[in-house]
Short mmCIF file of all heavy atoms in Angstrom, two decimals:
data_model
loop_
_atom_site.label_atom_id
_atom_site.label_comp_id
_atom_site.label_asym_id
_atom_site.label_seq_id
_atom_site.Cartn_x
_atom_site.Cartn_y
_atom_site.Cartn_z
N THR A 1 11.71 -5.66 -17.70
CA THR A 1 12.67 -6.72 -17.45
C THR A 1 12.11 -7.59 -16.31
O THR A 1 11.24 -7.14 -15.56
CB THR A 1 14.04 -6.16 -17.00
OG1 THR A 1 13.87 -5.48 -15.75
CG2 THR A 1 14.62 -5.21 -18.05
N PRO A 2 12.59 -8.81 -16.17
CA PRO A 2 12.13 -9.64 -15.05
C PRO A 2 12.35 -8.96 -13.68
O PRO A 2 11.52 -9.07 -12.79
CB PRO A 2 12.95 -10.92 -15.17
CG PRO A 2 13.30 -10.98 -16.62
CD PRO A 2 13.48 -9.56 -17.06
N GLU A 3 13.45 -8.22 -13.55
CA GLU A 3 13.72 -7.52 -12.30
C GLU A 3 12.69 -6.42 -12.06
O GLU A 3 12.23 -6.21 -10.93
CB GLU A 3 15.13 -6.90 -12.31
CG GLU A 3 16.25 -7.91 -12.35
CD GLU A 3 16.52 -8.45 -13.76
OE1 GLU A 3 16.08 -7.83 -14.76
OE2 GLU A 3 17.18 -9.50 -13.86
N GLN A 4 12.31 -5.69 -13.11
CA GLN A 4 11.30 -4.64 -12.98
C GLN A 4 9.94 -5.23 -12.60
O GLN A 4 9.22 -4.67 -11.77
CB GLN A 4 11.18 -3.84 -14.28
CG GLN A 4 12.37 -2.95 -14.55
CD GLN A 4 12.32 -2.34 -15.94
OE1 GLN A 4 11.84 -2.95 -16.90
NE2 GLN A 4 12.82 -1.11 -16.05
N ILE A 5 9.60 -6.35 -13.21
CA ILE A 5 8.33 -7.01 -12.89
C ILE A 5 8.31 -7.41 -11.42
O ILE A 5 7.34 -7.15 -10.70
CB ILE A 5 8.11 -8.24 -13.79
CG1 ILE A 5 7.84 -7.79 -15.22
CG2 ILE A 5 6.96 -9.11 -13.28
CD1 ILE A 5 7.83 -8.92 -16.23
N THR A 6 9.39 -8.01 -10.94
CA THR A 6 9.47 -8.44 -9.55
C THR A 6 9.40 -7.26 -8.59
O THR A 6 8.64 -7.29 -7.62
CB THR A 6 10.78 -9.23 -9.32
OG1 THR A 6 10.80 -10.35 -10.19
CG2 THR A 6 10.91 -9.68 -7.89
N LEU A 7 10.16 -6.21 -8.88
CA LEU A 7 10.17 -5.04 -8.00
C LEU A 7 8.81 -4.36 -7.98
O LEU A 7 8.32 -3.96 -6.91
CB LEU A 7 11.26 -4.06 -8.44
CG LEU A 7 11.43 -2.82 -7.56
CD1 LEU A 7 11.71 -3.21 -6.11
CD2 LEU A 7 12.56 -1.95 -8.11
N GLU A 8 8.17 -4.23 -9.13
CA GLU A 8 6.85 -3.60 -9.19
C GLU A 8 5.85 -4.39 -8.36
O GLU A 8 5.07 -3.82 -7.59
CB GLU A 8 6.38 -3.48 -10.64
CG GLU A 8 5.13 -2.64 -10.83
CD GLU A 8 3.84 -3.41 -10.63
OE1 GLU A 8 3.84 -4.65 -10.75
OE2 GLU A 8 2.82 -2.76 -10.33
N ARG A 9 5.87 -5.70 -8.49
CA ARG A 9 4.95 -6.55 -7.72
C ARG A 9 5.20 -6.44 -6.22
O ARG A 9 4.28 -6.38 -5.42
CB ARG A 9 5.05 -8.00 -8.16
CG ARG A 9 4.39 -8.26 -9.47
CD ARG A 9 4.48 -9.72 -9.86
NE ARG A 9 3.84 -9.93 -11.16
CZ ARG A 9 4.09 -10.95 -11.94
NH1 ARG A 9 4.94 -11.89 -11.57
NH2 ARG A 9 3.49 -11.07 -13.11
N GLN A 10 6.49 -6.45 -5.84
CA GLN A 10 6.83 -6.36 -4.42
C GLN A 10 6.37 -5.03 -3.82
O GLN A 10 5.77 -5.01 -2.74
CB GLN A 10 8.34 -6.51 -4.22
CG GLN A 10 8.85 -7.90 -4.45
CD GLN A 10 10.37 -7.97 -4.42
OE1 GLN A 10 11.06 -6.95 -4.53
NE2 GLN A 10 10.88 -9.18 -4.29
N LEU A 11 6.65 -3.95 -4.52
CA LEU A 11 6.24 -2.64 -4.00
C LEU A 11 4.73 -2.50 -3.94
O LEU A 11 4.18 -1.98 -2.96
CB LEU A 11 6.86 -1.52 -4.85
CG LEU A 11 8.36 -1.32 -4.67
CD1 LEU A 11 8.89 -0.30 -5.67
CD2 LEU A 11 8.69 -0.89 -3.25
N ARG A 12 4.04 -2.97 -4.99
CA ARG A 12 2.57 -2.90 -4.98
C ARG A 12 2.00 -3.74 -3.84
O ARG A 12 1.07 -3.31 -3.14
CB ARG A 12 2.02 -3.38 -6.33
CG ARG A 12 0.52 -3.20 -6.46
CD ARG A 12 0.02 -3.40 -7.88
NE ARG A 12 0.83 -4.24 -8.72
CZ ARG A 12 0.64 -5.56 -8.89
NH1 ARG A 12 -0.33 -6.18 -8.26
NH2 ARG A 12 1.42 -6.24 -9.70
N HIS A 13 2.57 -4.92 -3.62
CA HIS A 13 2.12 -5.78 -2.52
C HIS A 13 2.33 -5.08 -1.17
O HIS A 13 1.46 -5.12 -0.30
CB HIS A 13 2.87 -7.11 -2.58
CG HIS A 13 2.47 -8.07 -1.52
ND1 HIS A 13 1.27 -8.74 -1.53
CD2 HIS A 13 3.12 -8.47 -0.39
CE1 HIS A 13 1.20 -9.51 -0.46
NE2 HIS A 13 2.30 -9.37 0.25
N ARG A 14 3.49 -4.44 -1.00
CA ARG A 14 3.75 -3.72 0.26
C ARG A 14 2.79 -2.57 0.44
O ARG A 14 2.33 -2.30 1.55
CB ARG A 14 5.19 -3.21 0.28
CG ARG A 14 6.18 -4.36 0.46
CD ARG A 14 7.53 -3.91 0.88
NE ARG A 14 7.46 -3.39 2.24
CZ ARG A 14 8.36 -2.58 2.76
NH1 ARG A 14 9.39 -2.19 2.03
NH2 ARG A 14 8.25 -2.15 3.99
N LEU A 15 2.45 -1.87 -0.65
CA LEU A 15 1.48 -0.78 -0.56
C LEU A 15 0.13 -1.28 -0.06
O LEU A 15 -0.49 -0.67 0.82
CB LEU A 15 1.30 -0.09 -1.91
CG LEU A 15 2.37 0.89 -2.34
CD1 LEU A 15 2.12 1.34 -3.78
CD2 LEU A 15 2.41 2.07 -1.41
N VAL A 16 -0.31 -2.39 -0.60
CA VAL A 16 -1.60 -2.95 -0.19
C VAL A 16 -1.54 -3.39 1.27
O VAL A 16 -2.46 -3.11 2.05
CB VAL A 16 -1.99 -4.13 -1.12
CG1 VAL A 16 -3.18 -4.88 -0.57
CG2 VAL A 16 -2.28 -3.61 -2.52
N ARG A 17 -0.48 -4.08 1.66
CA ARG A 17 -0.36 -4.56 3.04
C ARG A 17 -0.29 -3.41 4.02
O ARG A 17 -0.93 -3.43 5.08
CB ARG A 17 0.88 -5.45 3.19
CG ARG A 17 0.85 -6.75 2.41
CD ARG A 17 -0.04 -7.81 3.02
NE ARG A 17 0.30 -8.13 4.40
CZ ARG A 17 1.09 -9.11 4.79
NH1 ARG A 17 1.63 -9.91 3.91
NH2 ARG A 17 1.32 -9.30 6.07
N LEU A 18 0.50 -2.38 3.72
CA LEU A 18 0.60 -1.23 4.62
C LEU A 18 -0.73 -0.49 4.72
O LEU A 18 -1.15 -0.08 5.80
CB LEU A 18 1.71 -0.28 4.15
CG LEU A 18 3.14 -0.75 4.39
CD1 LEU A 18 4.13 0.10 3.61
CD2 LEU A 18 3.47 -0.72 5.88
N SER A 19 -1.39 -0.32 3.58
CA SER A 19 -2.70 0.36 3.58
C SER A 19 -3.71 -0.41 4.43
O SER A 19 -4.45 0.18 5.22
CB SER A 19 -3.23 0.51 2.15
OG SER A 19 -2.38 1.32 1.39
N ALA A 20 -3.73 -1.72 4.27
CA ALA A 20 -4.65 -2.55 5.04
C ALA A 20 -4.33 -2.47 6.54
O ALA A 20 -5.24 -2.36 7.37
CB ALA A 20 -4.60 -4.00 4.56
N ALA A 21 -3.05 -2.50 6.87
CA ALA A 21 -2.67 -2.41 8.28
C ALA A 21 -3.07 -1.05 8.88
O ALA A 21 -3.48 -0.97 10.04
CB ALA A 21 -1.16 -2.63 8.43
N LEU A 22 -2.97 -0.01 8.08
CA LEU A 22 -3.36 1.32 8.54
C LEU A 22 -4.85 1.43 8.79
O LEU A 22 -5.29 1.90 9.84
CB LEU A 22 -2.96 2.37 7.50
CG LEU A 22 -1.61 3.02 7.68
CD1 LEU A 22 -1.24 3.81 6.45
CD2 LEU A 22 -1.60 3.92 8.89
N ILE A 23 -5.64 1.02 7.81
CA ILE A 23 -7.09 1.25 7.93
C ILE A 23 -7.77 0.28 8.88
O ILE A 23 -8.87 0.55 9.34
CB ILE A 23 -7.78 1.23 6.56
CG1 ILE A 23 -7.69 -0.13 5.90
CG2 ILE A 23 -7.25 2.32 5.66
CD1 ILE A 23 -8.50 -0.25 4.64
N THR A 24 -7.12 -0.83 9.21
CA THR A 24 -7.72 -1.79 10.14
C THR A 24 -7.09 -1.72 11.53
O THR A 24 -7.38 -2.57 12.37
CB THR A 24 -7.61 -3.22 9.60
OG1 THR A 24 -6.22 -3.56 9.44
CG2 THR A 24 -8.34 -3.37 8.27
N HIS A 25 -6.23 -0.74 11.76
CA HIS A 25 -5.56 -0.61 13.06
C HIS A 25 -6.62 -0.44 14.16
O HIS A 25 -7.57 0.32 14.01
CB HIS A 25 -4.61 0.58 13.04
CG HIS A 25 -3.64 0.58 14.17
ND1 HIS A 25 -3.99 1.00 15.44
CD2 HIS A 25 -2.34 0.20 14.23
CE1 HIS A 25 -2.93 0.89 16.23
NE2 HIS A 25 -1.93 0.41 15.52
N PRO A 26 -6.48 -1.15 15.27
CA PRO A 26 -7.48 -1.09 16.33
C PRO A 26 -7.66 0.30 16.95
O PRO A 26 -8.71 0.59 17.53
CB PRO A 26 -6.97 -2.08 17.38
CG PRO A 26 -5.73 -2.68 16.86
CD PRO A 26 -5.42 -2.10 15.53
N TRP A 27 -6.69 1.18 16.81
CA TRP A 27 -6.80 2.52 17.39
C TRP A 27 -7.99 3.29 16.83
O TRP A 27 -8.61 4.08 17.54
CB TRP A 27 -5.51 3.31 17.17
CG TRP A 27 -5.54 4.65 17.83
CD1 TRP A 27 -5.35 4.91 19.15
CD2 TRP A 27 -5.79 5.91 17.21
NE1 TRP A 27 -5.46 6.26 19.39
CE2 TRP A 27 -5.73 6.90 18.20
CE3 TRP A 27 -6.06 6.30 15.90
CZ2 TRP A 27 -5.92 8.24 17.95
CZ3 TRP A 27 -6.24 7.65 15.64
CH2 TRP A 27 -6.18 8.60 16.65
N TRP A 28 -8.34 3.05 15.58
CA TRP A 28 -9.45 3.79 14.98
C TRP A 28 -10.75 3.55 15.73
O TRP A 28 -11.61 4.43 15.80
CB TRP A 28 -9.61 3.43 13.50
CG TRP A 28 -8.42 3.78 12.68
CD1 TRP A 28 -7.58 2.91 12.04
CD2 TRP A 28 -7.89 5.09 12.42
NE1 TRP A 28 -6.57 3.59 11.40
CE2 TRP A 28 -6.73 4.93 11.63
CE3 TRP A 28 -8.26 6.37 12.80
CZ2 TRP A 28 -5.97 6.01 11.19
CZ3 TRP A 28 -7.50 7.45 12.36
CH2 TRP A 28 -6.37 7.26 11.57
N ALA A 29 -10.92 2.38 16.32
CA ALA A 29 -12.15 2.07 17.05
C ALA A 29 -12.26 2.86 18.35
O ALA A 29 -13.36 2.97 18.91
CB ALA A 29 -12.21 0.58 17.35
N THR A 30 -11.16 3.43 18.82
CA THR A 30 -11.21 4.21 20.06
C THR A 30 -11.71 5.63 19.83
O THR A 30 -11.99 6.33 20.80
CB THR A 30 -9.81 4.27 20.72
OG1 THR A 30 -8.92 5.03 19.88
CG2 THR A 30 -9.25 2.87 20.94
N LEU A 31 -11.79 6.05 18.58
CA LEU A 31 -12.25 7.41 18.27
C LEU A 31 -13.75 7.44 18.08
O LEU A 31 -14.33 6.50 17.52
CB LEU A 31 -11.61 7.91 16.97
CG LEU A 31 -10.14 8.25 16.98
CD1 LEU A 31 -9.71 8.71 15.59
CD2 LEU A 31 -9.84 9.32 18.00
N PRO A 32 -14.39 8.54 18.46
CA PRO A 32 -15.79 8.70 18.11
C PRO A 32 -15.94 8.73 16.59
O PRO A 32 -15.05 9.22 15.88
CB PRO A 32 -16.17 10.05 18.71
CG PRO A 32 -15.11 10.35 19.72
CD PRO A 32 -13.89 9.63 19.27
N THR A 33 -17.02 8.21 16.09
CA THR A 33 -17.23 8.09 14.64
C THR A 33 -17.02 9.41 13.92
O THR A 33 -16.43 9.46 12.86
CB THR A 33 -18.63 7.54 14.35
OG1 THR A 33 -18.78 6.31 15.05
CG2 THR A 33 -18.84 7.31 12.86
N GLY A 34 -17.48 10.50 14.49
CA GLY A 34 -17.37 11.80 13.84
C GLY A 34 -15.95 12.32 13.71
O GLY A 34 -15.68 13.20 12.90
N GLU A 35 -15.03 11.79 14.49
CA GLU A 35 -13.64 12.26 14.45
C GLU A 35 -12.74 11.40 13.57
O GLU A 35 -11.60 11.78 13.29
CB GLU A 35 -13.05 12.27 15.87
CG GLU A 35 -13.67 13.28 16.78
CD GLU A 35 -13.03 13.26 18.16
OE1 GLU A 35 -11.88 12.80 18.27
OE2 GLU A 35 -13.69 13.69 19.11
N GLN A 36 -13.21 10.26 13.13
CA GLN A 36 -12.34 9.33 12.39
C GLN A 36 -11.86 9.89 11.06
O GLN A 36 -10.69 9.75 10.72
CB GLN A 36 -13.06 8.00 12.19
CG GLN A 36 -13.21 7.22 13.47
CD GLN A 36 -13.95 5.92 13.28
OE1 GLN A 36 -14.38 5.59 12.18
NE2 GLN A 36 -14.10 5.17 14.36
N VAL A 37 -12.73 10.54 10.33
CA VAL A 37 -12.33 11.07 9.01
C VAL A 37 -11.26 12.14 9.17
O VAL A 37 -10.25 12.13 8.47
CB VAL A 37 -13.56 11.62 8.25
CG1 VAL A 37 -13.12 12.34 6.98
CG2 VAL A 37 -14.52 10.49 7.91
N ASP A 38 -11.48 13.06 10.13
CA ASP A 38 -10.48 14.11 10.35
C ASP A 38 -9.16 13.53 10.84
O ASP A 38 -8.08 13.98 10.44
CB ASP A 38 -11.01 15.13 11.36
CG ASP A 38 -12.16 15.97 10.80
OD1 ASP A 38 -12.25 16.08 9.54
OD2 ASP A 38 -12.95 16.50 11.59
N ALA A 39 -9.23 12.51 11.68
CA ALA A 39 -8.01 11.89 12.19
C ALA A 39 -7.26 11.18 11.07
O ALA A 39 -6.03 11.27 10.98
CB ALA A 39 -8.35 10.90 13.31
N ARG A 40 -7.98 10.50 10.19
CA ARG A 40 -7.30 9.82 9.07
C ARG A 40 -6.64 10.85 8.15
O ARG A 40 -5.53 10.64 7.67
CB ARG A 40 -8.28 8.96 8.29
CG ARG A 40 -8.69 7.70 9.02
CD ARG A 40 -9.67 6.88 8.21
NE ARG A 40 -10.36 5.91 9.02
CZ ARG A 40 -10.06 4.61 9.05
NH1 ARG A 40 -9.10 4.14 8.30
NH2 ARG A 40 -10.73 3.79 9.82
N ALA A 41 -7.32 11.96 7.91
CA ALA A 41 -6.74 13.01 7.07
C ALA A 41 -5.50 13.61 7.74
O ALA A 41 -4.49 13.87 7.08
CB ALA A 41 -7.78 14.10 6.80
N ALA A 42 -5.54 13.80 9.06
CA ALA A 42 -4.39 14.33 9.77
C ALA A 42 -3.22 13.35 9.72
O ALA A 42 -2.07 13.75 9.55
CB ALA A 42 -4.76 14.63 11.22
N LEU A 43 -3.50 12.07 9.86
CA LEU A 43 -2.44 11.06 9.81
C LEU A 43 -1.76 11.06 8.45
O LEU A 43 -0.54 10.93 8.36
CB LEU A 43 -3.00 9.67 10.13
CG LEU A 43 -1.98 8.54 10.14
CD1 LEU A 43 -0.97 8.74 11.26
CD2 LEU A 43 -2.68 7.20 10.28
N GLN A 44 -2.52 11.24 7.39
CA GLN A 44 -1.95 11.25 6.05
C GLN A 44 -1.01 12.43 5.83
O GLN A 44 -0.16 12.39 4.95
CB GLN A 44 -3.05 11.26 5.00
CG GLN A 44 -3.82 9.97 4.94
CD GLN A 44 -5.00 10.04 3.99
OE1 GLN A 44 -5.29 11.07 3.41
NE2 GLN A 44 -5.70 8.94 3.86
N GLN A 45 -1.16 13.47 6.63
CA GLN A 45 -0.31 14.66 6.48
C GLN A 45 1.03 14.52 7.19
O GLN A 45 1.88 15.40 7.07
CB GLN A 45 -1.05 15.90 7.00
CG GLN A 45 -2.32 16.21 6.26
CD GLN A 45 -2.11 16.35 4.76
OE1 GLN A 45 -1.18 17.03 4.32
NE2 GLN A 45 -2.94 15.70 3.97
N LEU A 46 1.22 13.44 7.94
CA LEU A 46 2.51 13.23 8.62
C LEU A 46 3.62 13.04 7.59
O LEU A 46 3.44 12.37 6.59
CB LEU A 46 2.46 11.98 9.50
CG LEU A 46 1.63 12.05 10.76
CD1 LEU A 46 1.69 10.71 11.47
CD2 LEU A 46 2.11 13.15 11.67
N HIS A 47 4.75 13.64 7.87
CA HIS A 47 5.92 13.50 6.99
C HIS A 47 7.11 13.18 7.86
O HIS A 47 7.21 13.66 9.00
CB HIS A 47 6.16 14.77 6.19
CG HIS A 47 5.04 15.08 5.27
ND1 HIS A 47 4.80 14.36 4.12
CD2 HIS A 47 4.06 16.01 5.33
CE1 HIS A 47 3.73 14.84 3.51
NE2 HIS A 47 3.26 15.85 4.23
N PRO A 48 8.04 12.40 7.35
CA PRO A 48 9.21 12.06 8.15
C PRO A 48 10.00 13.31 8.51
O PRO A 48 10.21 14.18 7.67
CB PRO A 48 10.03 11.12 7.27
CG PRO A 48 9.34 11.03 5.97
CD PRO A 48 8.05 11.79 6.04
#
């Protein structure tokens, strides 16, 4: 339906924007290169 198309696009757009904001966050540059992968994996394990 037109509503489903709109909602799917909005959610997909938000996923891309949130993902980009996460991976480009300036905090990652403060970590030593060897710790970044482990830190990203730990961040993904956070749950509300």
Side-chain angles (χ1 to χ4, degrees):
T1 64
E3 295 81 17
Q4 289 171 325
I5 290 171
T6 301
L7 183 56
E8 189 275 337
R9 285 182 181 159
Q10 288 173 343
L11 288 173
R12 186 168 25 94
H13 181 73
R14 289 196 69 200
L15 281 173
V16 169
R17 295 284 304 265
L18 286 167
S19 297
L22 268 168
I23 64 173
T24 61
H25 195 280
W27 184 78
W28 298 115
T30 67
L31 289 179
T33 304
E35 293 181 23
Q36 290 178 359
V37 172
D38 291 337
R40 287 180 197 258
L43 181 64
Q44 291 174 357
Q45 299 305 314
L46 288 179
H47 297 288

